[in-house]
Amino acid sequence: QQWAWEKKRKLKKKQVSRIHSLTGQKEVNVDAKKQYEFLEKGPPFWNANSGLINQKSTFMSYWDSWVFVLLIYTAVVTPYEVAFIDGGQVTTLFILNRIVDLSFVVDMYFNFHLPYLDVGGQEVHN
């Protein structure tokens, strides 16, 4: 099963506009213009038909970058915090760690709603 945006991306190869042979004026194909605008925005985040998140969406690429930054933060700050900082106090670092924890919980939710790839490389939606 293919995502709708993947089908539309194939239409990008079609000519978006053509030059009228007699007048030399540009004639714009409205459907192609809408498809081009759709491609500029990127694929949708949520597939309403299957209830799954599109792993190729622009938001998910930004989210993956955010989670990578959080992982680096955790790898650097946690050893320092364990070794040198006394616990039990609500500090800025404590609040920042709860925000990181919440981000990881949201990431788990996203991962539970991503389709997986079968042996042939096709996305499995059910």
Side-chain angles (χ1 to χ4, degrees), residues 32-44:
K33 186 175 180 182
K34 286 181 184 178
Q35 292 167 3
Y36 183 74
E37 289 171 357
F38 177 82
L39 292 172
E40 281 183 337
K41 293 179 187 176

Side-chain angles (χ1 to χ4, degrees), residues 64 71 101 110 121 124:
D64 289 340
L71 286 170
D101 292 344
F110 286 164
V124 178

Side-chain angles (χ1 to χ4, degrees), residues 12 59 82 99:
K12 182 180 181 185
F59 175 79
V82 169
I99 292 171

Side-chain angles (χ1 to χ4, degrees), residues 32-110:
K33 186 175 180 182
K34 286 181 184 178
Q35 292 167 3
Y36 183 74
E37 289 171 357
F38 177 82
L39 292 172
E40 281 183 337
K41 293 179 187 176
F45 171 68
W46 185 263
N47 186 345
N49 295 333
S50 63
L52 296 174
I53 295 172
N54 185 353
Q55 61 189 355
K56 297 176 185 173
S57 69
T58 306
F59 175 79
M60 284 308 293
S61 65
Y62 288 130
W63 181 258
D64 289 340
S65 300
W66 171 246
V67 170
F68 179 74
V69 168
L70 293 179
L71 286 170
I72 297 298
Y73 166 83
T74 303
V76 171
V77 172
T78 301
Y80 174 79
E81 184 179 11
V82 169
F84 299 112
I85 297 178
D86 293 332
Q89 299 172 355
V90 177
T91 61
T92 306
L93 186 61
F94 176 81
I95 293 170
L96 191 58
N97 283 336
R98 298 303 72 83
I99 292 171
V100 170
D101 292 344
L102 180 64
S103 295
F104 285 138
V105 169
V106 171
D107 187 54
M108 285 177 28
Y109 174 81
F110 286 164

